[in-house]
Amino acid sequence: MSQYINFFGVHKEYKAAQKVLEIGVGLGRSTRQIFEDKGEVYSVDISESALKGVSDFAYPYTTAIAESDIPKIDTLPTGVIDIAFSFLVCQHISDEMLSLHLLHVVRSLKESGLFCLQYAVDINPDKSWDRQSNESQMKGGVLRKQEH
């Protein structure tokens, strides 16, 4: 979790937050840390198994197309989230789906809510950026290909 807070420089905002949304839970380490820090965490992921792994302490929402017993992202509550984090996730979503998902995330934020989004951009016109480099990913330099 400190990786998010340090990257975005939102120490004060995170400390004041009561309800946090994490987009892309992965193995759930950050999700668990948010729960331990705040007691209330909402999580969004395309992977139902990842969401089931955090469902004992988080409110899970899926972005998956398949039918599921996990609520869809469009059912996120409105105006309740203090701070939302999306860290190295957007490059895995098509532009069309990303636009829809961002609308739901923004809708879920309180009026004073903060959305911390690390977005991969095409920063090199010759498309030679090293997609696999951790250093380039941390700097937001993950190449978005045409199929996105």
Side-chain angles (χ1 to χ4, degrees):
M1 190 62 234
S2 63
Q3 179 184 17
Y4 294 171
I5 296 166
N6 291 334
F7 181 85
F8 293 114
V10 293
H11 299 84
K12 182 178 78 172
E13 294 84 350
Y14 181 75
K15 186 175 181 178
Q18 295 176 340
K19 296 180 182 181
V20 178
L21 170 63
E22 181 185 28
I23 301 148
V25 301
L27 297 175
R29 289 187 295 263
S30 295
T31 314
R32 181 171 293 283
Q33 184 62 56
I34 295 167
F35 174 74
E36 290 171 1
D37 289 349
K38 302 297 170 188
E40 192 159 357
V41 59
Y42 294 76
S43 55
V44 171
D45 204 290
I46 194 168
S47 167
E48 291 183 36
S49 61
L51 289 168
K52 286 181 179 177
V54 300
S55 64
D56 60 327
F57 55 86
Y59 298 108
Y61 293 86
T62 185
T63 60
I65 304 299
E67 290 301 313
S68 169
D69 59 343
I70 298 171
K72 303 284 187 213
I73 190 172
D74 62 356
T75 63
L76 273 169
T78 299
V80 299
I81 303 296
D82 295 299
I83 190 167
F85 291 101
S86 177
F87 192 77
L88 292 173
V89 173
C90 293
Q91 64 268 25
H92 303 292
I93 305 172
S94 70
D95 288 344
E96 181 181 353
M97 291 304 291
L98 181 60
S99 296
L100 270 174
H101 289 69
L102 293 178
L103 287 172
H104 293 302
V105 171
V106 170
R107 179 186 49 76
S108 75
L109 292 171
K110 290 181 178 176
E111 193 171 308
S112 61
L114 182 62
F115 186 7
C116 299
L117 172 68
Q118 190 275 345
Y119 187 80
V121 295
D122 184 359
I123 60 173
N124 191 349
D126 70 2
K127 311 234 186 293
S128 64
W129 194 261
D130 179 6
R131 184 179 175 91
Q132 301 306 315
S133 164
N134 284 338
E135 182 177 279
S136 69
Q137 288 187 27
M138 291 298 292
K139 292 178 181 173
V142 179
L143 176 66
R144 285 180 60 84
K145 295 186 176 188
Q146 291 291 26
E147 66 266 21
H148 290 125

